[in-house]
Amino acid sequence: MQNNTNRSFYLVPYIGWMLLFVIAPIVLVVYFSLFDLHGNFSFVNYQNFFTSVYLKMTLSSFWYAFLITAFTLVIAYPTAYWLTKTKHKQLWLLLIIIPSWINLLLKTYAFIGIFGVIGPINQLFDTLGIGTKQILYTDFSFIFVSVYIFIPFMILPIFNSLDKMNHSLIDAARDLGSSTWTTFTKVIFPLTINGVKSGIQAVFIPSLSLFMITRLIAGNKVITLGTAIEQQFLVTQNWGMGSTIAVFLILFMVIIMILTGQKEKGALSNGQIK
Amino acid sequence: MDRSSKLSKVYLALVFVILYTPIFYLIFYSFNSGGTMSSFKSFTFEHYKAVFADTRLIMILINTVIVALLSALLSTAIGVIGAIGIIFLKNRKSRNALLSLNNVLVVSPDVIIGASFLILFTMVGVKLGFASVLISHIAFSVPIVVIMVLPKLQEMSSTLIDAALDLGASKRDVLSRVIIPYIKPGIFAGFFLALTYSLDDFAVTFFVTGNGFSTLSVEIYSMARAGITLTINALSGLLFIVTLLLVLGYYFVTNRTKNPLRTGVSK
């Protein structure tokens, strides 16, 4: 008995942290979403959310997030795959990870210079005779920079699942006469689906909520759910509406987590294809 | 076979080039005596001098480091104690509940963490500034420490603790001489991660920082919105070196403790 109380004593600061910074903030966001600008209790924010302005914004936010995730996956999967084939793969992986540790703002800032009207890309265009193009403040620059930022976060989980994969299964597939492509689609990809799922989680949810890249690179043309929340909280000071968008973002997040959720039932389920 | 391996090398090289180009681009122009990031005039250290001459920027740099160190220390303390508490918890259901709540802040978008903490601090009456930034950095670092420490605790066999108790060790001895040394690599990894999360954080800080207090990320954001200044480039050069040292430090700390056999076995 004495032992038990002593042990649960360890949980006191941790549970205190949890109540204050996990549960209380969520409760407060939901609570604030129920108040209009004048502090009156109402569902007006929720009504507003279902008007075309916010629905369009939500849809475009999802579309951008989808594009960013898709491009990131297409670039990251082969990278992760070939990384596992290199000799000093842990070292190469570390080199892939290092850029993700460089301050996000700095990397974004670099693209202001690179994509600028007199930046190197436009200088190249000029010498090629294409002529100067507006690259900054376009959808392209927004998606490019976001994909750039997220690539390491997609590579890491895919690399890990590829690395854990049992290679005799590939040999078996080869022995049984399957082509390289069949081996990939029927054996390798299904075996690494969990890595892909965690990669998608790590990219899609942040993509919905980016706001500094939209401000710096997309020049306020792209508005994601994150941009809208920042706008409502810090510019318009409409915490109620901001909280409402936050509530929906949390809901979307939960849905995505469930969709890309993994059942951890040992190694067997890894190979299962539904 | 040969062709595909060549292709893979070209592809990997391309990815590496793209990943590093912006960083070296920034550093390259930090030595430019011209005022832009497009034409290189001549080599100069003036922007680095400008960084060190700017007392406001230096103050912000010091603030950022203090917040990072303090928040990493405190969140490591809370996280390690929490992880030990979770391990001692025998009830599976409450253990899983705690673990999923633990992950809420890890997967939550920064904007939501920032906005909800802003509400929290305003409701409780914490003045926005150093305190609110520090508290939120501790708050979002705790779950990361827990995640880094838990696997180490899980792989530790409970017979180790029983043996220590049988040999007459007090509970405090068990903690300080058996558990803590065993999970040390996890603690270090958690501390380093918390440190880098704090140094890197922009969105959360942006929400909970008041007028008088700023961290590096927030400052770079407002500088970048105002336009290109090569002071940021010089700053990025300095930060790149610091980050590299941190990453290497982290790499050696976590790798030194790995089972040496593993490197021999894995291909």
Side-chain angles (χ1 to χ4, degrees):
Chain A
M1 196 59 220
Q2 198 253 337
N3 196 6
N4 254 336
T5 52
N6 205 338
R7 283 183 168 187
S8 49
F9 172 78
Y10 282 115
L11 283 171
V12 172
Y14 181 63
I15 289 185
W17 162 81
M18 211 167 247
L19 286 173
L20 255 178
F21 297 105
V22 180
I23 296 166
I26 296 175
V27 173
L28 281 173
V29 165
V30 175
Y31 177 76
F32 266 78
S33 71
L34 298 172
F35 289 91
D36 68 8
L37 250 180
H38 312 288
N40 302 317
F41 180 88
S42 76
F43 287 99
V44 70
N45 295 320
Y46 285 88
Q47 274 166 13
N48 281 341
F49 190 84
F50 287 102
T51 55
S52 65
V53 182
Y54 285 102
L55 284 181
K56 253 188 209 153
M57 186 198 74
T58 308
L59 270 178
S60 84
S61 190
F62 265 88
W63 174 239
Y64 282 116
F66 168 76
L67 285 179
I68 293 167
T69 312
F71 284 125
T72 313
L73 180 61
V74 166
I75 296 170
Y77 200 100
T79 313
Y81 181 75
W82 279 322
L83 269 182
T84 56
K85 306 254 172 210
T86 54
K87 247 184 200 164
H88 306 280
K89 54 185 173 187
Q90 292 297 338
L91 182 71
W92 289 116
L93 183 70
L94 182 72
L95 285 175
I96 288 270
I97 303 300
I98 285 176
S100 74
W101 292 41
I102 305 289
N103 196 303
L104 186 71
L105 271 301
L106 288 177
K107 285 180 290 187
T108 312
Y109 169 75
F111 281 103
I112 300 180
I114 292 174
F115 285 155
V117 187
I118 45 168
I121 306 275
N122 265 322
Q123 280 172 10
L124 181 75
F125 279 178
D126 246 1
T127 43
L128 289 176
I130 305 171
T132 314
K133 290 243 156 58
Q134 178 68 39
I135 313 173
L136 208 59
Y137 311 133
T138 59
D139 287 3
F140 166 79
S141 60
F142 171 64
I143 291 171
F144 187 94
V145 175
S146 308
V147 170
Y148 169 84
I149 302 272
F150 287 127
I151 282 177
F153 300 102
M154 184 69 94
I155 291 179
L156 190 62
I158 297 177
F159 177 91
N160 284 336
S161 58
L162 277 165
D163 208 30
K164 265 189 283 178
M165 197 173 59
N166 187 350
H167 280 267
S168 51
L169 288 168
I170 299 170
D171 297 337
R174 288 264 161 78
D175 289 347
L176 293 167
S178 67
S179 68
T180 317
W181 180 246
T182 324
T183 317
F184 177 75
T185 52
K186 294 269 154 92
V187 182
I188 301 177
F189 192 75
L191 281 174
T192 54
I193 193 72
N194 279 341
V196 174
K197 278 180 176 173
S198 2
I200 290 174
Q201 260 179 28
V203 175
F204 196 86
I205 297 168
S207 301
L208 282 176
S209 54
L210 287 170
F211 75 90
M212 35 76 61
I213 298 181
T214 59
R215 290 251 191 268
L216 292 177
I217 298 291
N220 292 343
K221 276 186 190 156
V222 179
I223 294 179
T224 61
L225 289 171
T227 323
I229 294 174
E230 188 252 357
Q231 178 89 16
Q232 298 289 350
F233 267 92
L234 300 178
V235 185
T236 6
Q237 299 279 332
N238 186 355
W239 286 16
M241 193 63 220
S243 299
T244 309
I245 305 170
V247 167
F248 280 101
L249 186 49
I250 294 172
L251 276 179
F252 296 140
M253 188 184 90
V254 172
I255 294 170
I256 294 159
M257 299 294 290
I258 293 169
L259 284 179
T260 55
Q262 302 163 7
K263 295 177 209 103
E264 284 160 70
K265 279 178 192 152
L268 266 179
S269 67
N270 269 348
Q272 262 172 23
I273 317 155
K274 275 179 290 184
Chain B
M1 199 65 213
D2 196 29
R3 217 181 54 206
S4 84
S5 80
K6 216 175 233 167
L7 178 78
S8 76
K9 280 201 181 97
V10 172
Y11 187 86
L12 284 183
L14 204 68
V15 171
F16 275 104
V17 167
I18 291 175
L19 280 179
Y20 280 91
T21 300
I23 297 158
F24 287 116
Y25 178 80
L26 279 185
I27 297 173
F28 177 71
Y29 279 106
S30 70
F31 298 108
N32 180 17
S33 69
T36 64
M37 272 203 278
S38 48
S39 57
F40 197 89
K41 263 195 185 149
S42 63
F43 185 86
T44 177
F45 276 119
E46 64 174 287
H47 305 297
Y48 286 88
K49 281 193 198 120
V51 170
F52 289 108
D54 190 343
T55 40
R56 201 183 99 85
L57 203 58
I58 296 293
M59 273 313 289
I60 290 170
L61 208 72
I62 293 171
N63 282 341
T64 313
V65 173
I66 290 176
V67 167
L69 282 175
L70 274 180
S71 67
L73 270 176
L74 289 167
S75 57
T76 306
I78 300 174
V80 169
I81 294 172
I84 294 173
I86 291 178
I87 283 294
F88 282 160
L89 212 60
K90 287 290 171 288
N91 185 338
R92 247 192 101 137
K93 253 194 184 151
S94 44
R95 201 200 253 196
N96 282 340
L98 273 186
L99 281 179
S100 12
L101 277 175
N102 185 68
N103 289 341
V104 169
L105 283 187
V106 180
V107 293
S108 288
D110 290 345
V111 190
I112 291 187
I113 300 177
S116 61
F117 282 8
L118 174 64
I119 299 179
L120 180 75
F121 290 135
T122 329
M123 293 295 282
V124 177
V126 177
K127 206 171 153 271
L128 296 184
F130 175 77
S132 60
V133 173
L134 178 67
I135 295 170
S136 25
H137 282 214
I138 295 170
F140 69 65
S141 301
V142 166
I144 299 153
V145 176
V146 172
I147 289 174
M148 299 308 285
V149 172
L150 262 185
K152 284 277 151 204
L153 279 167
Q154 273 159 348
E155 86 186 24
M156 187 175 84
S157 135
S158 61
T159 49
L160 230 57
I161 297 174
D162 295 338
L165 288 173
D166 286 348
L167 292 167
S170 69
K171 289 212 177 74
R172 178 183 289 232
D173 284 340
V174 170
L175 186 68
S176 65
R177 300 214 174 164
V178 181
I179 300 180
I180 299 286
Y182 194 93
I183 62 173
K184 218 184 210 165
I187 297 176
F188 272 116
F191 177 80
F192 266 109
L193 266 188
L195 199 65
T196 46
Y197 266 60
S198 168
L199 285 175
D200 220 32
D201 178 72
F202 164 70
V204 177
T205 315
F206 189 65
F207 272 90
V208 298
T209 188
N211 284 324
F213 188 81
S214 178
T215 64
L216 211 51
S217 298
V218 176
E219 185 64 15
I220 294 169
Y221 179 70
S222 53
M223 282 166 96
R225 287 201 82 178
I228 287 172
T229 48
L230 293 186
T231 316
I232 306 183
N233 293 57
L235 208 56
S236 66
L238 296 172
L239 280 179
F240 182 67
I241 294 165
V242 174
T243 313
L244 212 58
L245 290 176
L246 269 178
V247 176
L248 289 176
Y250 172 77
Y251 186 69
F252 283 117
V253 165
T254 49
N255 254 33
R256 200 188 51 192
T257 44
K258 261 188 198 154
N259 189 351
L261 271 177
R262 244 202 80 183
T263 41
V265 172
S266 69
K267 279 178 286 187

PDB file of all heavy atoms in Angstrom, chain A residues 213-233:
ATOM      1  N   ILE A 213       4.538  30.367 -43.752  1.00  0.00           N
ATOM      2  CA  ILE A 213       4.941  30.215 -45.157  1.00  0.00           C
ATOM      3  C   ILE A 213       3.941  30.924 -46.071  1.00  0.00           C
ATOM      4  O   ILE A 213       4.320  31.589 -47.031  1.00  0.00           O
ATOM      5  CB  ILE A 213       5.070  28.727 -45.531  1.00  0.00           C
ATOM      6  CG1 ILE A 213       6.155  28.087 -44.693  1.00  0.00           C
ATOM      7  CG2 ILE A 213       5.394  28.569 -47.008  1.00  0.00           C
ATOM      8  CD1 ILE A 213       6.393  26.647 -44.984  1.00  0.00           C
ATOM      9  N   THR A 214       2.645  30.812 -45.712  1.00  0.00           N
ATOM     10  CA  THR A 214       1.660  31.504 -46.550  1.00  0.00           C
ATOM     11  C   THR A 214       1.914  33.001 -46.517  1.00  0.00           C
ATOM     12  O   THR A 214       1.806  33.685 -47.520  1.00  0.00           O
ATOM     13  CB  THR A 214       0.229  31.235 -46.079  1.00  0.00           C
ATOM     14  OG1 THR A 214       0.103  31.678 -44.737  1.00  0.00           O
ATOM     15  CG2 THR A 214      -0.121  29.787 -46.164  1.00  0.00           C
ATOM     16  N   ARG A 215       2.262  33.510 -45.348  1.00  0.00           N
ATOM     17  CA  ARG A 215       2.488  34.950 -45.237  1.00  0.00           C
ATOM     18  C   ARG A 215       3.749  35.396 -45.979  1.00  0.00           C
ATOM     19  O   ARG A 215       3.752  36.410 -46.657  1.00  0.00           O
ATOM     20  CB  ARG A 215       2.622  35.350 -43.770  1.00  0.00           C
ATOM     21  CG  ARG A 215       1.334  35.259 -42.998  1.00  0.00           C
ATOM     22  CD  ARG A 215       0.803  36.641 -42.666  1.00  0.00           C
ATOM     23  NE  ARG A 215      -0.283  36.555 -41.702  1.00  0.00           N
ATOM     24  CZ  ARG A 215      -1.554  36.466 -42.039  1.00  0.00           C
ATOM     25  NH1 ARG A 215      -1.905  36.431 -43.299  1.00  0.00           N
ATOM     26  NH2 ARG A 215      -2.482  36.399 -41.103  1.00  0.00           N
ATOM     27  N   LEU A 216       4.824  34.627 -45.820  1.00  0.00           N
ATOM     28  CA  LEU A 216       6.103  35.072 -46.382  1.00  0.00           C
ATOM     29  C   LEU A 216       6.259  34.713 -47.853  1.00  0.00           C
ATOM     30  O   LEU A 216       6.826  35.477 -48.625  1.00  0.00           O
ATOM     31  CB  LEU A 216       7.274  34.469 -45.593  1.00  0.00           C
ATOM     32  CG  LEU A 216       7.465  34.948 -44.157  1.00  0.00           C
ATOM     33  CD1 LEU A 216       8.599  34.207 -43.499  1.00  0.00           C
ATOM     34  CD2 LEU A 216       7.723  36.440 -44.103  1.00  0.00           C
ATOM     35  N   ILE A 217       5.786  33.553 -48.248  1.00  0.00           N
ATOM     36  CA  ILE A 217       6.046  33.052 -49.596  1.00  0.00           C
ATOM     37  C   ILE A 217       4.833  33.208 -50.505  1.00  0.00           C
ATOM     38  O   ILE A 217       4.962  33.490 -51.693  1.00  0.00           O
ATOM     39  CB  ILE A 217       6.467  31.564 -49.533  1.00  0.00           C
ATOM     40  CG1 ILE A 217       7.760  31.419 -48.748  1.00  0.00           C
ATOM     41  CG2 ILE A 217       6.614  30.974 -50.921  1.00  0.00           C
ATOM     42  CD1 ILE A 217       8.976  31.976 -49.422  1.00  0.00           C
ATOM     43  N   ALA A 218       3.641  32.986 -49.931  1.00  0.00           N
ATOM     44  CA  ALA A 218       2.456  33.033 -50.786  1.00  0.00           C
ATOM     45  C   ALA A 218       1.821  34.416 -50.780  1.00  0.00           C
ATOM     46  O   ALA A 218       0.817  34.646 -51.457  1.00  0.00           O
ATOM     47  CB  ALA A 218       1.450  31.986 -50.357  1.00  0.00           C
ATOM     48  N   GLY A 219       2.395  35.337 -50.030  1.00  0.00           N
ATOM     49  CA  GLY A 219       1.923  36.714 -50.052  1.00  0.00           C
ATOM     50  C   GLY A 219       0.446  36.879 -49.761  1.00  0.00           C
ATOM     51  O   GLY A 219      -0.235  37.635 -50.437  1.00  0.00           O
ATOM     52  N   ASN A 220      -0.051  36.133 -48.770  1.00  0.00           N
ATOM     53  CA  ASN A 220      -1.447  36.234 -48.346  1.00  0.00           C
ATOM     54  C   ASN A 220      -2.446  35.786 -49.407  1.00  0.00           C
ATOM     55  O   ASN A 220      -3.643  35.989 -49.270  1.00  0.00           O
ATOM     56  CB  ASN A 220      -1.806  37.662 -47.922  1.00  0.00           C
ATOM     57  CG  ASN A 220      -1.093  38.039 -46.643  1.00  0.00           C
ATOM     58  OD1 ASN A 220      -0.599  37.171 -45.932  1.00  0.00           O
ATOM     59  ND2 ASN A 220      -1.024  39.325 -46.364  1.00  0.00           N
ATOM     60  N   LYS A 221      -1.933  35.175 -50.507  1.00  0.00           N
ATOM     61  CA  LYS A 221      -2.882  34.708 -51.526  1.00  0.00           C
ATOM     62  C   LYS A 221      -3.474  33.372 -51.119  1.00  0.00           C
ATOM     63  O   LYS A 221      -4.627  33.091 -51.409  1.00  0.00           O
ATOM     64  CB  LYS A 221      -2.177  34.580 -52.873  1.00  0.00           C
ATOM     65  CG  LYS A 221      -2.121  35.909 -53.600  1.00  0.00           C
ATOM     66  CD  LYS A 221      -1.564  35.759 -54.988  1.00  0.00           C
ATOM     67  CE  LYS A 221      -1.282  37.115 -55.598  1.00  0.00           C
ATOM     68  NZ  LYS A 221      -0.268  37.036 -56.639  1.00  0.00           N
ATOM     69  N   VAL A 222      -2.647  32.567 -50.478  1.00  0.00           N
ATOM     70  CA  VAL A 222      -3.124  31.275 -50.007  1.00  0.00           C
ATOM     71  C   VAL A 222      -3.562  31.442 -48.564  1.00  0.00           C
ATOM     72  O   VAL A 222      -2.815  31.977 -47.755  1.00  0.00           O
ATOM     73  CB  VAL A 222      -1.998  30.222 -50.086  1.00  0.00           C
ATOM     74  CG1 VAL A 222      -2.487  28.895 -49.568  1.00  0.00           C
ATOM     75  CG2 VAL A 222      -1.485  30.110 -51.497  1.00  0.00           C
ATOM     76  N   ILE A 223      -4.775  31.021 -48.256  1.00  0.00           N
ATOM     77  CA  ILE A 223      -5.199  31.069 -46.859  1.00  0.00           C
ATOM     78  C   ILE A 223      -5.525  29.658 -46.406  1.00  0.00           C
ATOM     79  O   ILE A 223      -6.409  29.012 -46.939  1.00  0.00           O
ATOM     80  CB  ILE A 223      -6.412  31.991 -46.668  1.00  0.00           C
ATOM     81  CG1 ILE A 223      -6.005  33.426 -46.977  1.00  0.00           C
ATOM     82  CG2 ILE A 223      -6.921  31.899 -45.236  1.00  0.00           C
ATOM     83  CD1 ILE A 223      -7.117  34.428 -46.843  1.00  0.00           C
ATOM     84  N   THR A 224      -4.734  29.168 -45.446  1.00  0.00           N
ATOM     85  CA  THR A 224      -5.014  27.849 -44.904  1.00  0.00           C
ATOM     86  C   THR A 224      -5.780  28.026 -43.603  1.00  0.00           C
ATOM     87  O   THR A 224      -5.962  29.149 -43.122  1.00  0.00           O
ATOM     88  CB  THR A 224      -3.715  27.091 -44.622  1.00  0.00           C
ATOM     89  OG1 THR A 224      -2.979  27.837 -43.648  1.00  0.00           O
ATOM     90  CG2 THR A 224      -2.879  26.928 -45.864  1.00  0.00           C
ATOM     91  N   LEU A 225      -6.217  26.913 -43.032  1.00  0.00           N
ATOM     92  CA  LEU A 225      -6.914  26.982 -41.741  1.00  0.00           C
ATOM     93  C   LEU A 225      -6.015  27.653 -40.711  1.00  0.00           C
ATOM     94  O   LEU A 225      -6.479  28.448 -39.893  1.00  0.00           O
ATOM     95  CB  LEU A 225      -7.293  25.578 -41.288  1.00  0.00           C
ATOM     96  CG  LEU A 225      -8.413  24.906 -42.101  1.00  0.00           C
ATOM     97  CD1 LEU A 225      -8.538  23.444 -41.694  1.00  0.00           C
ATOM     98  CD2 LEU A 225      -9.735  25.620 -41.875  1.00  0.00           C
ATOM     99  N   GLY A 226      -4.713  27.344 -40.770  1.00  0.00           N
ATOM    100  CA  GLY A 226      -3.773  27.941 -39.820  1.00  0.00           C
ATOM    101  C   GLY A 226      -3.694  29.455 -39.972  1.00  0.00           C
ATOM    102  O   GLY A 226      -3.713  30.203 -38.991  1.00  0.00           O
ATOM    103  N   THR A 227      -3.621  29.912 -41.233  1.00  0.00           N
ATOM    104  CA  THR A 227      -3.577  31.350 -41.481  1.00  0.00           C
ATOM    105  C   THR A 227      -4.820  32.017 -40.918  1.00  0.00           C
ATOM    106  O   THR A 227      -4.755  33.084 -40.317  1.00  0.00           O
ATOM    107  CB  THR A 227      -3.512  31.629 -42.997  1.00  0.00           C
ATOM    108  OG1 THR A 227      -2.701  30.644 -43.592  1.00  0.00           O
ATOM    109  CG2 THR A 227      -2.939  32.991 -43.270  1.00  0.00           C
ATOM    110  N   ALA A 228      -5.968  31.358 -41.124  1.00  0.00           N
ATOM    111  CA  ALA A 228      -7.226  31.934 -40.646  1.00  0.00           C
ATOM    112  C   ALA A 228      -7.250  32.037 -39.128  1.00  0.00           C
ATOM    113  O   ALA A 228      -7.684  33.047 -38.569  1.00  0.00           O
ATOM    114  CB  ALA A 228      -8.396  31.090 -41.136  1.00  0.00           C
ATOM    115  N   ILE A 229      -6.745  30.996 -38.463  1.00  0.00           N
ATOM    116  CA  ILE A 229      -6.722  31.032 -37.001  1.00  0.00           C
ATOM    117  C   ILE A 229      -5.829  32.170 -36.521  1.00  0.00           C
ATOM    118  O   ILE A 229      -6.205  32.965 -35.649  1.00  0.00           O
ATOM    119  CB  ILE A 229      -6.239  29.682 -36.422  1.00  0.00           C
ATOM    120  CG1 ILE A 229      -7.256  28.582 -36.726  1.00  0.00           C
ATOM    121  CG2 ILE A 229      -6.016  29.786 -34.915  1.00  0.00           C
ATOM    122  CD1 ILE A 229      -6.803  27.199 -36.330  1.00  0.00           C
ATOM    123  N   GLU A 230      -4.649  32.267 -37.111  1.00  0.00           N
ATOM    124  CA  GLU A 230      -3.722  33.331 -36.710  1.00  0.00           C
ATOM    125  C   GLU A 230      -4.361  34.700 -36.934  1.00  0.00           C
ATOM    126  O   GLU A 230      -4.303  35.589 -36.083  1.00  0.00           O
ATOM    127  CB  GLU A 230      -2.421  33.207 -37.511  1.00  0.00           C
ATOM    128  CG  GLU A 230      -1.330  34.126 -37.055  1.00  0.00           C
ATOM    129  CD  GLU A 230      -1.077  35.264 -38.020  1.00  0.00           C
ATOM    130  OE1 GLU A 230      -1.721  35.323 -39.085  1.00  0.00           O
ATOM    131  OE2 GLU A 230      -0.250  36.128 -37.700  1.00  0.00           O
ATOM    132  N   GLN A 231      -4.991  34.830 -38.091  1.00  0.00           N
ATOM    133  CA  GLN A 231      -5.667  36.082 -38.439  1.00  0.00           C
ATOM    134  C   GLN A 231      -6.722  36.451 -37.392  1.00  0.00           C
ATOM    135  O   GLN A 231      -6.753  37.573 -36.889  1.00  0.00           O
ATOM    136  CB  GLN A 231      -6.331  35.892 -39.809  1.00  0.00           C
ATOM    137  CG  GLN A 231      -7.123  37.064 -40.317  1.00  0.00           C
ATOM    138  CD  GLN A 231      -6.245  38.007 -41.117  1.00  0.00           C
ATOM    139  OE1 GLN A 231      -5.155  37.621 -41.518  1.00  0.00           O
ATOM    140  NE2 GLN A 231      -6.699  39.219 -41.321  1.00  0.00           N
ATOM    141  N   GLN A 232      -7.571  35.479 -37.044  1.00  0.00           N
ATOM    142  CA  GLN A 232      -8.662  35.747 -36.104  1.00  0.00           C
ATOM    143  C   GLN A 232      -8.135  36.076 -34.711  1.00  0.00           C
ATOM    144  O   GLN A 232      -8.666  36.933 -34.022  1.00  0.00           O
ATOM    145  CB  GLN A 232      -9.614  34.546 -36.008  1.00  0.00           C
ATOM    146  CG  GLN A 232     -10.318  34.192 -37.306  1.00  0.00           C
ATOM    147  CD  GLN A 232     -11.365  35.225 -37.705  1.00  0.00           C
ATOM    148  OE1 GLN A 232     -11.697  36.115 -36.942  1.00  0.00           O
ATOM    149  NE2 GLN A 232     -11.868  35.102 -38.920  1.00  0.00           N
ATOM    150  N   PHE A 233      -7.073  35.383 -34.319  1.00  0.00           N
ATOM    151  CA  PHE A 233      -6.582  35.587 -32.956  1.00  0.00           C
ATOM    152  C   PHE A 233      -5.754  36.860 -32.823  1.00  0.00           C
ATOM    153  O   PHE A 233      -5.923  37.627 -31.885  1.00  0.00           O
ATOM    154  CB  PHE A 233      -5.737  34.384 -32.504  1.00  0.00           C
ATOM    155  CG  PHE A 233      -6.525  33.361 -31.766  1.00  0.00           C
ATOM    156  CD1 PHE A 233      -7.099  32.299 -32.428  1.00  0.00           C
ATOM    157  CD2 PHE A 233      -6.725  33.476 -30.397  1.00  0.00           C
ATOM    158  CE1 PHE A 233      -7.850  31.364 -31.752  1.00  0.00           C
ATOM    159  CE2 PHE A 233      -7.476  32.549 -29.708  1.00  0.00           C
ATOM    160  CZ  PHE A 233      -8.042  31.485 -30.394  1.00  0.00           C
TER     161      PHE A 233
END
